[in-house]
């Protein structure tokens, strides 16, 4: 870090620890005083690559490698236009292709390859996808949402924990004090010998301890509603994107029982199967039971698997 | 002897058995029956390893379909070797008893450094060098080049193995590292790759924790182990720290600089390849467009250990378009790198969560979360395509990519701390970005989820209920076993005061107090006069030890101690320490007696045993709390409190006590051994500390041995040592703490055994 310096006035961080390096869109550094001096009129050319620059575009250099500063700058700009989300694509593959395309554009712009053409592509894209860009501007990506949620939860948790422990400590202190006072009172008024009272007190104290321990173990803060939605989370009511699919068609189940065909349920009476089955009482029939059901089941059972394979 | 453990025939290779071993096997069998996980604590020196091995092997033989494999994880290479030797004994016993030929395949696996037999490569000194060199000889494209250009050097051992080694399985038997090397030499096969291939069908695998816990290695080595395995973590009292270390990343300025050169090399290689062999890059591009299919195929039906670094969804999706081509990806990495550099240029400490970091990175350099997630995978693919031989050079950029993937994958359980300088040297700028994992359950989760039984065992796991909580699993058995003793061979004493009644404690406020330091010195002096042979003393930190020893020197205490015994000191330098250890043992051997001053959490406290005369007394000066001001620890404590409802103090005490127990446990390595355990701090007498010691130490801690003064301690110690010095034969143990088969089967003994295990 110490060997970094301004390429124009040759000052280094080592000699001047308060040196501030600045970077512009071309990715070349200048120190703050040189910027002041060269760009008095608000604009000028880069000392190293002759790119026309504005003074207002100079930024403090964050990274050791100024190329990274430049890339991040470009990337931010590109991402403002290319802000499609994963949900905007039907398959993951398309999304990945899109990501790669974005990466290509950033790569080209930072390394000065085909700058003109790349810019044209970007403009074209911007024109084509105006509404999507507008729409997505307000939306965060799903991952960012997730992160925000986690952060929020972390905050809530720590706050809650702090309060809880505070309360818990106070409560414990109080009960202990009360206990002590009770012992003193008892010693004053009771007729039992002091040793017995002390033993009782000790017992009670131990019980209290174990109780506190137990409580501690099953404390579980509720931060989820019974529906599984986190408390404090905003639920979006935007319509779910419809998926076009072929409707499901029911196909009757066909089971090969390896036996003679079983008569249908309504044929049982006619074929005389029901003659030897005890008839259902009115109580049974109240629930929808008929003797045919049991009989049909029994026949199915008996017929299946009679033929060898 | 042959045992009947609830209907299971277990061959036990010794004529006698300790009652607690029997009890241990009972619990273990129940755990295996339930196909669940277990936490078992049994004191060291009571034959944990052989009980584990003999039961699980018996179980494997009885139910070959239920349990197909035993994966035994230990910490160090000597421990691994020890396990294999025990196993060999067991298998010999099987062969002798049943007369059948052994059809078990058991092998140890270690790094290339310990297994390589290539004359050039194995002569390298560091593990990283060996790995790099090996890679440069065995990578697939190197071998492909060798086909067209025979002058390109390759490893003939690997070639041999690759040509024939896979068809011919390694014959059943027990292989330790040396056996594998011998076998490799005889056949001309590479033992490392042979072992890695053979663990797939071996019945027993013994290796280090990292092969299962470290996501980067586990993915390579252990991902094809079957679900029906039993995994044992031995000496697992530190397992949470291993888990955390394997998921944490530390980035310094130097890492970033090395990464910068890596990026430049990548860029140059890409532009060169683009000119010469553009088809290769196109091929990679095509593959990426289609998604990382090859990895996908291998993952079918959850047959493989899932990698916590890369969640499943990543492998199923295609790489996002923004990092698909090589140039874009390098640009991406560059932006990320510059961002990190900018972040490291700070003057005050920053702590933030992963979501905050992600938000900031999007605002500053427009990096989305999704491509970050794919960073590690994309880099691996690129390195493979570019055919870069020396992977070791690229460790910096690999580290950064791992960091990128982790930070974007996990929103919980991690914290980012950026410190501009170290706490000890606030004037020297040395910025570090700690991406620290706070939840050990993240790394170990795939292990618990995947394997049918996971056993966590060690000599010191107390309190037992905390491990399931911090590792987030539900054990079916948690039990602590005591040591049955024919004589009380351990004597824990808590010294709270000096002879002048000044409280002895390493509490921060009083640790510089002259009276405390003098009392500590007096204690050591008195002990050095009465304890025969070796004494090991542990301090809470290196700095504290230095201060105290300097102070002792000024007060003349050191001189007095040296009249009785020689003094050796552990330092942070590994070579120096091993020298000190060697001389210490020599001094103990020749009867001169010696004192070793060392540090809790140091090398001595973890891996080195002081059997018999090497350690007749252990003195623990102070309570070994961790350095509580570190921000990483603070963040972790907060997380534990919020997520697992473990109070900060509880965890700190637990951590301190497990290290204290580990230190004092160094002296007792068996039932014939004996030793004093002196806790020199009055805080040990409190119920919350005492209650966290392992049960086998607590049992011998009576009210009479709490808060002693130095001369009381000396009296008790003298008495104890005189008792212990009486001859002790095996017959004295028999029937009490050592059982024959007949004794084991008697009714009242079985009743006694039932009391040994205490369920938590």
């Amino acid at each position: 870090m110490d060997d970094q310096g301004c390429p124009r006035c040759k000052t280094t961080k080592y000699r001047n620890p308060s040196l501030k390096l600045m970077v512009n869109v071309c990715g070349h550094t200048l120190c703050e005083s040189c910027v002041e001096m060269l760009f008095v009129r608000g604009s000028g050319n880069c000392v190293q690559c002759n790119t026309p620059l504005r003074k207002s575009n100079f930024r403090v250099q964050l990274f050791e490698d100024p190329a990274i500063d430049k890339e991040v700058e470009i990337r931010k700009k590109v991402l403002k236009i290319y802000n499609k989300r994963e949900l905007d694509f039907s398959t993951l593959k398309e999304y990945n292709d899109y990501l790669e395309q974005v990466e290509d554009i950033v790569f080209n712009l930072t390394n000065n390859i085909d700058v003109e053409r790349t810019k044209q592509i970007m403009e074209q894209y911007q024109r084509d996808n105006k509404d999507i860009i507008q729409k997505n501007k307000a939306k965060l990506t799903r991952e960012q949402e997730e992160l925000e949620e986690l952060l929020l939860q972390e905050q809530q948790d720590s706050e809650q924990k702090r309060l809880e422990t505070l309360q818990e400590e106070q409560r414990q202190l109080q009960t202990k004090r009360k206990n002590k006072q009770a012992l003193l009172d008892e010693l004053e008024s009771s007729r039992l010998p002091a040793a017995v009272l002390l033993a009782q007190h000790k017992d009670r104290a131990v019980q209290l301890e174990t109780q506190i321990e137990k409580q501690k173990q099953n404390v579980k803060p509720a931060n989820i509603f019974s529906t599984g939605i986190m408390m404090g989370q905003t639920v979006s009511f935007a319509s779910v994107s419809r998926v076009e699919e072929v409707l499901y068609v029911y196909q009757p189940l066909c089971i090969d029982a390896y036996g003679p065909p079983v008569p249908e349920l309504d044929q049982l009476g006619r074929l005389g199967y029901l003659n030897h089955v005890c008839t259902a009482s009115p109580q049974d029939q109240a629930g929808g039971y008929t003797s045919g059901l049991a009989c049909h089941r029994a026949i199915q059972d008996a017929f299946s698997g009679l033929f060898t394979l | 002897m042959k045992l009947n453990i609830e209907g299971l025939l277990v061959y036990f290779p010794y004529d006698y058995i300790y009652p607690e071993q029997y009890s241990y096997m009972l619990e273990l069998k129940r755990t295996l029956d339930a196909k669940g996980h277990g936490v078992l604590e049994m004191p060291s020196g009571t034959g944990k390893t052989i009980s584990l091995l003999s039961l699980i092997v018996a179980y494997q033989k009885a139910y070959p379909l239920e349990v197909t494999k035993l994966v035994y994880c230990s910490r160090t290479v000597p421990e691994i070797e020890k396990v294999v030797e025990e196993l060999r004994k067991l298998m010999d016993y099987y062969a002798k008893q049943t007369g059948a030929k052994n059809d078990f395949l058991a092998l140890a696996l270690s790094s290339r450094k310990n297994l390589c037999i290539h004359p050039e490569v194995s002569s390298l000194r560091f593990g990283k060098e060996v790995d790099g060199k090996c890679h440069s000889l065995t990578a697939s494209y190197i071998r492909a080049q060798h086909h067209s250009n025979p002058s390109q050097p390759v490893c003939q051992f690997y070639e041999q193995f690759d040509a024939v080694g896979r068809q011919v399985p390694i014959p059943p038997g027990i292989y330790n590292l040396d056996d594998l090397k011998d076998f490799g030499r005889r056949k001309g096969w590479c033992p490392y790759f042979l072992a890695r291939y053979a663990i797939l069908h071996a019945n027993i695998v013994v290796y280090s924790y990292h092969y299962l816990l470290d996501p980067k290695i586990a993915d390579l080595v252990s991902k094809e182990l079957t679900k029906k395995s039993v995994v044992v973590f031995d000496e697992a009292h530190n397992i949470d720290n291993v888990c955390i270390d394997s998921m944490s990343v530390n980035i310094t300025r130097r890492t970033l600089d090395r990464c910068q050169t890596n990026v430049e090399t990548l860029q140059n290689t890409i532009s060169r390849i683009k000119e010469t062999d553009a088809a290769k890059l196109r091929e990679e591009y095509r593959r990426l467009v289609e998604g990382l299919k090859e990895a996908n195929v291998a993952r079918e039906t959850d047959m493989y250990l899932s990698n916590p670094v890369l969640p499943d969804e990543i492998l199923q999706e295609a790489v996002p378009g923004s990092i698909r081509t090589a140039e874009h990806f390098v640009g991406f990495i560059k932006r990320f790198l510059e961002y990190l550099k900018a972040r490291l240029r700070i003057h005050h400490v920053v702590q933030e969560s992963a979501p905050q970091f992600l938000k900031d990175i999007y605002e500053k350099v427009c990096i989305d979360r999704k491509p970050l997630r794919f960073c590690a995978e994309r880099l691996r693919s690129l390195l493979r395509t570019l055919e870069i031989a020396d992977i070791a050079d690229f460790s910096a950029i690999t580290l950064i990519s791992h960091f990128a993937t982790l930070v974007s994958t996990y929103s919980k359980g991690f914290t980012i701390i950026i410190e501009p300088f170290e706490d000890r040297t606030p004037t020297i700028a040395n910025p570090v970005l700690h991406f620290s994992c706070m939840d050990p359950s993240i790394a170990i989760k795939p292990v618990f989820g995947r394997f049918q039984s996971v056993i966590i065992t060690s000599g010191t796991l107390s309190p037992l209920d905390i491990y399931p909580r911090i590792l987030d699993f539900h054990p079916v058995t948690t039990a602590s076993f005591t040591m049955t003793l024919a004589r009380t061979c351990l004597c824990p004493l808590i010294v709270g005061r000096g002879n002048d009644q000044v409280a002895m404690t390493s509490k921060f406020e009083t640790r510089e107090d002259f009276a405390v330091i003098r009392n500590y010195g007096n204690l050591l002096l008195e002990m050095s006069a009465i304890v025969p042979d070796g004494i090991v003393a542990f301090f809470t930190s290196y700095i504290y030890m230095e201060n105290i020893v300097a102070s002792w020197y000024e007060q003349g205490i050191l001189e007095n101690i040296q009249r009785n015994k020689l003094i050796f000191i552990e330092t942070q330098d590994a070579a120096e320490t091993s020298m000190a250890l060697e001389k210490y043992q020599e001094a103990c051997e020749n009867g001169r007696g010696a004192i070793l001053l060392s540090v809790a959490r140091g090398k001595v406290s973890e891996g080195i045993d002081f059997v018999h005369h090497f350690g007749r007394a252990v003195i623990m000066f102070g309570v070994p709390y961790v350095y509580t001001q570190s921000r990483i620890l603070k963040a972790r404590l907060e997380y534990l409190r919020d997520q697992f409802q473990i109070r900060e103090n509880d965890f700190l005490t637990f951590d301190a006590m497990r290290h204290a127990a580990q230190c004092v446990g160094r002296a007792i390595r068996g039932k014939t051994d004996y030793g004093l355990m002196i806790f020199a701090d009055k805080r040990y007498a409190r119920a919350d500390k005492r209650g966290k010691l392992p049960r086998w130490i607590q049992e011998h801690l009576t009210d009479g041995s709490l808060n002693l003064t130095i001369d009381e301690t000396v009296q008790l110690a003298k008495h104890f040592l005189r008792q212990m010095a009486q001859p002790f034969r095996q017959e004295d143990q028999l029937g009490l703490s050592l059982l024959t088969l007949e004794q084991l089967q008697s009714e009242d003994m079985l009743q006694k055994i039932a009391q040994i295990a205490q369920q938590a």
Side-chain angles (χ1 to χ4, degrees):
Chain A
M1 192 66 208
D2 283 345
D3 49 346
Q4 273 192 315
C6 173
R8 187 168 166 278
C9 61
K10 312 289 183 209
T11 329
T12 61
K13 276 248 155 137
Y14 180 71
R15 273 183 276 170
N16 177 13
S18 61
L19 180 80
K20 240 189 201 164
L21 290 174
M22 314 284 274
V23 153
N24 208 322
V25 286
C26 64
H28 293 119
T29 42
L30 273 181
C31 74
E32 203 179 13
S33 52
C34 289
V35 170
E36 286 296 330
M37 213 157 65
L38 289 176
F39 294 83
V40 186
R41 274 181 289 157
S43 64
N45 289 353
C46 173
V47 190
Q48 291 172 58
C49 62
N50 254 346
T51 325
L53 300 173
R54 273 170 196 278
K55 188 184 169 191
S56 56
N57 282 346
F58 271 102
R59 301 263 176 275
V60 176
Q61 186 183 340
L62 275 178
F63 305 104
E64 270 173 41
D65 188 354
I68 300 287
D69 274 296
K70 179 186 169 193
E71 191 190 331
V72 170
E73 190 83 356
I74 292 171
R75 186 176 291 273
K76 278 186 182 158
K77 230 183 263 166
V78 173
L79 284 183
K80 252 184 208 148
I81 299 167
Y82 284 83
N83 61 358
K84 276 195 187 174
R85 311 284 181 242
E86 196 177 336
L87 289 176
D88 297 332
F89 297 91
S90 51
T91 64
L92 187 70
K93 194 168 177 311
E94 276 174 43
Y95 177 59
N96 278 333
D97 289 341
Y98 162 80
L99 280 179
E100 198 186 331
Q101 190 194 343
V102 174
E103 204 64 33
D104 265 331
I105 291 171
V106 175
F107 189 82
N108 285 349
L109 287 181
T110 29
N111 296 335
N112 300 328
I113 307 166
D114 288 345
V115 179
E116 282 313 307
R117 221 180 48 130
T118 320
K119 276 191 178 155
Q120 269 173 17
I121 295 176
M122 268 173 74
E123 272 162 28
Q124 178 71 29
Y125 176 86
Q126 197 172 6
R127 254 177 279 128
D128 291 350
N129 299 289
K130 223 182 220 155
D131 358 331
I132 294 187
I133 293 170
Q134 235 3 288
K135 205 180 78 194
N136 281 344
K137 236 176 208 169
K139 262 201 293 183
L140 290 169
T141 64
R142 210 183 55 205
E143 279 175 358
Q144 278 164 318
E145 260 171 30
E146 237 169 69
L147 275 184
E148 293 287 338
E149 207 173 275
L150 280 173
L151 280 176
L152 200 75
Q153 201 184 345
E154 224 167 74
Q155 235 171 17
Q156 281 174 348
D157 278 2
S158 62
E159 186 65 15
Q160 203 177 4
K161 290 255 162 64
R162 205 177 54 84
L163 283 178
E164 252 169 40
T165 44
L166 218 70
Q167 276 174 359
E168 184 68 19
E169 266 166 26
Q170 237 152 23
R171 215 178 310 138
Q172 275 179 33
L173 222 68
Q174 233 165 20
T175 41
K176 266 190 190 151
R177 215 180 294 144
K178 229 189 259 169
N179 224 3
K180 212 170 188 180
Q181 193 57 44
L183 173 72
L184 286 180
D185 287 351
E186 251 177 273
L187 280 173
E188 212 173 69
S189 58
S190 171
R191 279 153 194 270
L192 288 167
V196 175
L197 284 180
L198 272 176
Q200 276 177 358
H201 172 71
K202 214 173 186 180
D203 270 1
R204 237 175 312 162
V206 169
Q207 263 174 16
L208 204 74
E209 274 301 288
T210 47
Q211 228 172 22
I212 290 169
E213 283 293 304
K214 247 187 219 153
Q215 269 174 9
K216 239 181 213 162
Q217 273 168 22
N218 44 29
V219 167
K220 218 166 215 176
N223 52 2
I224 295 178
F225 288 117
S226 58
T227 49
I229 297 172
M230 306 294 270
M231 276 186 188
Q233 185 196 23
T234 50
V235 182
S236 89
F237 291 102
S239 59
V240 182
S241 59
R242 273 239 317 257
V243 186
E244 290 291 330
E245 270 179 9
V246 187
L247 285 176
Y248 177 72
V249 182
Y250 173 72
Q251 248 121 19
L253 196 66
C254 174
I255 302 167
D256 198 352
Y258 303 111
V262 181
E264 292 296 316
L265 193 58
D266 47 350
Q267 288 177 330
L268 285 178
R270 237 181 304 139
L271 294 174
Y273 284 104
L274 289 182
N275 295 347
H276 307 290
V277 180
C278 42
T279 47
S281 66
Q283 284 97 321
D284 295 336
Q285 283 174 341
Y289 173 82
T290 61
S291 48
L293 285 173
C295 179
H296 189 241
R297 181 76 64 84
I299 295 170
Q300 271 180 344
D301 224 16
F303 280 12
S304 71
L306 287 184
F307 302 157
T308 48
L309 284 172
Chain B
M1 70 171 88
K2 284 187 219 168
L3 300 169
N4 177 7
I5 308 270
E6 286 186 347
L8 179 73
L9 176 67
V10 175
Y11 285 86
F12 191 75
Y14 298 100
D15 294 336
Y16 304 101
I17 184 170
Y18 294 144
E20 56 268 33
Q21 285 182 319
Y22 184 76
S23 177
Y24 189 88
M25 287 197 244
L26 274 179
E27 289 296 334
L28 193 58
K29 159 107 185 345
R30 284 173 200 155
T31 316
L32 295 187
D33 280 341
K35 295 198 186 358
H37 312 312
V39 180
L40 304 173
E41 178 189 52
M42 185 153 89
S44 41
T46 48
K48 228 177 0 238
T49 311
I50 191 65
S51 326
L52 264 171
L53 289 175
S54 47
L55 187 99
I56 297 178
V57 167
Y59 206 93
Q60 265 180 296
K61 295 223 176 198
Y63 310 103
L65 293 178
E66 300 286 311
V67 173
T68 51
K69 194 187 287 280
L70 163 64
V71 181
Y72 196 105
C73 303
S74 205
R75 279 186 317 183
T76 57
V77 174
E79 272 168 22
I80 289 171
E81 297 274 10
K82 236 171 12 191
V83 174
V84 177
E85 284 324 302
E86 290 281 0
L87 194 60
R88 198 188 303 276
K89 225 177 265 170
L90 178 66
M91 286 307 169
D92 287 348
Y93 185 71
Y94 259 102
K96 213 164 74 190
Q97 287 295 314
T98 56
K101 224 174 125 343
N102 176 24
D103 56 348
F104 250 55
L105 174 60
L107 53 90
L109 177 65
S110 183
S111 62
R112 287 185 177 87
K113 186 180 172 292
N114 295 322
L115 277 176
C116 186
I117 52 172
H118 192 278
E120 262 173 62
V121 181
S122 59
S123 62
L124 293 170
R125 265 187 61 207
F126 297 105
K128 238 183 199 167
E129 288 175 354
V130 176
D131 288 354
K133 185 85 183 156
C134 179
H135 183 83
S136 70
L137 290 178
T138 54
S140 53
Y141 49 84
I142 297 282
R143 296 175 52 222
Q145 278 172 21
H146 176 73
H147 269 292
S148 52
N149 172 20
S151 66
Q152 175 87 22
V154 289
C155 174
Q156 76 270 23
F157 296 104
Y158 181 74
E159 294 299 320
Q160 277 284 329
F161 167 69
D162 196 50
V164 283
R166 280 183 229 272
Q167 286 85 15
V168 192
I170 176 167
I174 315 294
Y175 297 87
N176 65 14
L177 298 180
D178 284 332
D179 296 335
L180 278 174
K181 275 193 194 171
D182 281 346
F183 185 78
R185 278 207 194 91
R186 242 182 302 129
K187 295 265 185 183
W189 296 348
C190 172
Y192 174 74
F193 284 98
L194 175 71
R196 264 188 47 186
Y197 176 70
I199 63 171
L200 296 183
H201 54 259
N203 302 83
I204 299 173
V205 182
V206 186
Y207 57 32
S208 127
Y209 283 5
H210 297 279
Y211 288 106
L212 214 50
L213 291 180
D214 194 329
K216 291 149 238 159
I217 316 175
D219 196 40
L220 288 175
V221 178
S222 309
K223 69 177 189 177
E224 292 181 36
L225 297 183
T226 62
K227 190 172 172 358
K228 286 180 178 174
S229 308
V230 175
V231 177
V232 176
F233 288 106
D234 198 3
E235 302 291 332
H237 46 271
N238 255 343
I239 195 164
D240 54 327
N241 290 336
V242 177
C243 292
I244 281 181
D245 285 347
S246 70
M247 296 290 276
S248 297
V249 178
N250 290 334
I251 296 171
T252 60
R253 186 69 218 193
R254 258 190 63 208
T255 327
L256 294 183
D257 287 341
R258 290 219 320 272
C259 189
Q260 179 85 44
T261 40
N262 286 347
V263 170
E264 275 155 26
T265 331
L266 279 185
Q267 227 166 356
N268 293 340
T269 327
I270 288 173
S271 54
R272 204 188 60 229
I273 287 198
K274 232 182 166 179
E275 281 161 19
T276 55
D277 194 4
K280 209 185 286 169
L281 281 175
R282 264 205 305 280
E283 164 64 19
E284 186 207 21
Y285 175 78
R286 193 193 55 72
R287 224 184 51 229
L288 290 176
V289 171
E290 283 167 17
L292 299 161
K293 283 279 165 49
E294 38 173 11
N296 230 341
V297 172
R299 269 179 175 241
E300 242 172 18
T301 63
D302 192 32
M303 272 295 285
Y304 302 112
L305 196 69
S306 59
N307 183 345
V309 165
L310 287 174
D312 273 334
E313 54 178 307
I314 285 194
L315 291 169
Q316 275 148 26
E317 244 190 73
V319 167
S322 43
I323 54 171
R324 226 154 42 181
T325 67
E327 285 114 337
H328 294 170
F329 179 64
V330 171
F332 173 86
I333 286 271
K334 242 176 161 176
R335 253 182 303 146
F336 186 60
L337 186 63
E338 286 295 330
Y339 172 77
L340 287 180
K341 273 186 188 167
R343 284 309 296 271
L344 278 186
R345 219 184 304 137
I346 46 159
H347 301 289
H348 54 92
V349 180
V350 178
Q351 177 172 3
E352 59 184 19
S353 64
Q356 277 167 329
F357 182 84
L358 290 178
K359 195 174 171 209
D360 191 56
I361 202 172
Y362 182 75
E363 278 163 10
K364 292 267 170 61
V365 285
C366 305
I367 288 185
D368 269 328
R369 187 179 181 174
K370 203 166 158 199
L372 266 185
R373 249 189 234 180
F374 285 87
C375 203
E377 196 61 30
R378 181 67 187 90
L379 180 73
R380 205 191 299 173
S381 156
L382 183 67
L383 288 181
R384 212 178 319 138
T385 315
L386 297 183
E387 304 191 343
I388 285 162
D390 206 354
I391 291 285
D393 271 357
F394 283 82
S395 60
I397 196 168
T398 323
L399 190 78
I400 299 277
S401 74
H402 277 302
F403 166 64
T405 304
L406 282 172
V407 79
S408 50
T409 309
Y410 296 103
S411 55
K412 265 205 173 146
F414 287 84
T415 188
I416 296 164
I417 296 172
I418 310 175
E419 288 179 316
F421 43 72
E422 271 179 50
D423 276 336
R424 296 208 181 93
T425 53
T427 47
I428 304 164
N430 179 23
V432 186
L433 186 148
H434 301 281
F435 177 67
S436 111
C437 172
M438 298 185 291
D439 191 348
S441 63
I442 293 175
I444 206 167
K445 201 169 167 226
V447 178
F448 281 124
R450 182 164 158 63
F451 297 110
Q452 130 182 337
S453 289
V454 177
I455 313 288
I456 289 183
T457 185
S458 170
T460 49
L461 280 178
S462 292
L464 286 177
D465 58 329
I466 208 159
Y467 283 90
R469 267 159 86 192
I470 55 179
L471 297 180
D472 197 20
F473 71 104
H474 297 284
V476 290
T477 49
T478 46
S480 172
F481 305 87
T482 54
M483 188 151 41
T484 52
L485 294 170
R487 53 170 194 173
T488 340
C489 70
L490 65 158
C491 176
L493 300 170
I494 296 178
V495 190
R497 294 164 293 157
N499 286 338
D500 50 3
Q501 301 300 324
V502 176
M504 243 196 240
T505 173
S506 69
K507 218 195 295 186
F508 184 75
E509 295 85 31
T510 59
R511 58 164 51 177
E512 303 298 327
D513 195 342
F514 258 138
V516 172
I517 297 178
R518 191 185 55 234
N519 277 332
Y520 274 157
N522 282 339
L523 176 64
L524 188 61
L525 177 60
E526 299 278 352
M527 287 335 259
S528 70
I530 59 164
V531 177
D533 300 319
I535 298 178
V536 190
F538 288 99
F539 292 86
T540 51
S541 69
Y542 283 106
I543 302 173
Y544 190 50
M545 176 166 78
E546 276 165 31
N547 285 344
I548 283 198
V549 171
S551 193
W552 283 350
Y553 176 74
E554 281 165 14
Q555 296 175 13
I557 295 173
L558 224 48
E559 201 180 330
N560 287 336
I561 293 174
Q562 273 181 318
R563 281 194 200 129
N564 301 325
K565 285 184 195 307
L566 295 175
I567 296 181
F568 297 91
I569 298 182
E570 178 191 2
T571 61
Q572 267 154 321
D573 186 291
E576 253 174 42
T577 303
S578 54
M579 180 76 163
L581 260 175
E582 199 179 299
K583 294 294 170 198
Y584 168 80
Q585 282 170 351
E586 205 179 306
C588 289
E589 286 286 3
N590 65 23
R592 176 78 167 82
I595 296 175
L596 181 67
L597 303 181
S598 50
V599 170
R601 298 163 197 278
K603 184 185 165 214
V604 172
S605 74
E606 276 294 326
I608 293 167
D609 296 344
F610 296 98
V611 273
H612 296 292
H613 59 282
F614 291 129
R616 283 304 182 205
V618 182
I619 307 176
M620 187 72 232
F621 289 117
V623 184
Y625 281 111
V626 279
Y627 175 62
T628 47
Q629 295 309 304
S630 116
R631 289 188 185 78
I632 300 173
L633 180 72
K634 275 184 183 161
R636 188 172 166 206
L637 288 175
E638 209 167 283
Y639 184 81
L640 283 174
R641 195 188 60 211
D642 292 351
Q643 295 298 316
F644 302 118
Q645 278 82 43
I646 297 172
R647 269 180 296 181
E648 288 164 29
N649 257 331
D650 279 352
F651 182 79
L652 285 176
T653 317
F654 151 74
D655 186 61
M657 292 316 284
R658 73 171 161 187
H659 279 102
Q662 195 59 35
C663 290
V664 296
R666 296 287 107 198
I668 308 276
R669 308 313 291 181
K671 292 191 173 181
T672 52
D673 203 355
Y674 65 89
L676 280 162
M677 298 175 168
I678 297 175
F679 298 92
D681 195 310
K682 71 163 193 199
R683 287 175 290 174
Y684 282 112
R686 279 194 218 145
D688 67 321
K689 309 268 186 321
R690 202 152 38 102
K692 289 197 168 75
L693 283 172
R695 199 167 139 237
W696 56 277
I697 296 179
Q698 255 187 70
E699 266 188 348
H700 299 282
L701 207 55
T702 55
D703 282 346
S705 50
L706 301 180
N707 205 11
L708 305 167
T709 61
I710 292 178
D711 44 3
E712 283 168 343
T713 315
V714 171
Q715 286 311 316
L716 284 173
K718 266 186 181 163
H719 180 72
F720 170 75
L721 289 169
R722 199 172 306 137
Q723 243 180 359
M724 286 300 116
Q726 307 311 313
F728 186 61
R729 288 155 317 201
Q730 198 184 38
E731 293 86 79
D732 300 332
Q733 278 197 40
L734 264 182
L736 284 169
S737 61
L738 196 63
L739 305 177
T740 58
L741 191 56
E742 296 83 60
Q743 282 167 333
L744 184 65
Q745 278 155 350
S746 72
E747 197 56 42
D748 53 332
M749 185 44 84
L750 286 176
Q751 255 172 22
K752 261 189 212 163
I753 285 174
Q755 288 165 7
I756 289 174
Q758 190 194 41
Q759 310 288 338

